[in-house]
Amino acid sequence: HAVRPGAAFAPGHLLGPQRKKRAKDKGDTSTYFTLSFTVTFEHGVQPGATGGEGDVCYICQCYPYSHTRLTDHLSALSKAPRHRAHLRVEELCATLGGLSVPLLTITDFSSPIQTLRSRPAVVITARVHPGETNASWMMHGVIDALLADTPLASELRSWLVFKVVPSLNPDGVVLGNYRCSIAGEDLNRN
């Protein structure tokens, strides 16, 4: 089910309003509309049938972006000679599950140390909620754009220091959680 407060998704999709009360505000009586759908497969094992495994189908709201994809991307960037002048990858910390939380520093490192220290810093983070894979796709593009061999990227690197944390919750990503960490906590709320 997808839930959106206040209005139908599209004509013909409205199945009916549902009254829900939010846990935080017992007096909230907002109307929510629920969109439901059924997926039917022509082939495969029918419900209740025996004698074999059916096909498996996964449905997601966004195209997946795994922790392995991230680590492979960062590894490739780190090994590329063309990025050595403006990329450093280190471990910000380790998670409760023992995974590394990478921290990327992107800037023009050929400048004197005093210049580097005086540059404004821009902090960019993603994936505090593991199910929001679109954030990883955006971060992938941001990292590639900042490291690109373009006049704009070069100018940005000469003015700023980018501190990039591409995945704040890798445990949640690996476990397949949608909002919470390995400890069952929403890192945006606790």
Side-chain angles (χ1 to χ4, degrees), residues 62-152:
C62 297
Y63 193 79
Y65 194 103
S66 68
H67 182 68
T68 301
R69 179 184 294 270
L70 172 64
T71 56
D72 288 350
H73 185 232
L74 297 181
S75 176
L77 293 174
S78 297
K79 292 176 184 172
R82 68 182 181 278
H83 297 313
R84 289 197 181 122
H86 35 265
L87 172 67
R88 302 290 183 272
V89 180
E90 57 191 310
E91 182 179 82
L92 175 65
C93 62
T95 66
L96 292 175
L99 296 173
S100 175
V101 176
L103 171 65
L104 285 64
T105 304
I106 300 172
T107 194
D108 179 1
F109 287 105
S110 66
S111 301
I113 191 70
Q114 297 82 3
T115 303
L116 291 173
R117 288 181 177 156
S118 68
R119 286 184 186 155
V122 176
V123 178
I124 308 171
T125 66
R127 212 68 187 268
V128 69
H129 294 140
E132 297 169 354
T133 60
N134 49 345
S136 285
W137 288 108
M138 292 297 294
M139 182 63 80
H140 190 114
V142 166
I143 292 168
D144 286 352
L146 291 173
L147 294 173
D149 187 18
T150 64
L152 177 59

Side-chain angles (χ1 to χ4, degrees), residues 171-186:
D171 287 341
V173 172
V174 169
L175 293 172
N177 295 345
Y178 188 76
R179 285 190 69 89
C180 63
S181 67
I182 195 171
E185 299 286 338
D186 183 337

Side-chain angles (χ1 to χ4, degrees), residues 26-49:
K26 300 292 184 202
D28 183 2
T29 57
S30 300
T31 300
Y32 291 84
F33 297 92
T34 302
L35 172 70
S36 296
F37 59 91
T38 302
V39 178
T40 305
F41 298 96
E42 293 181 30
H43 307 287
V45 176
Q46 299 298 318

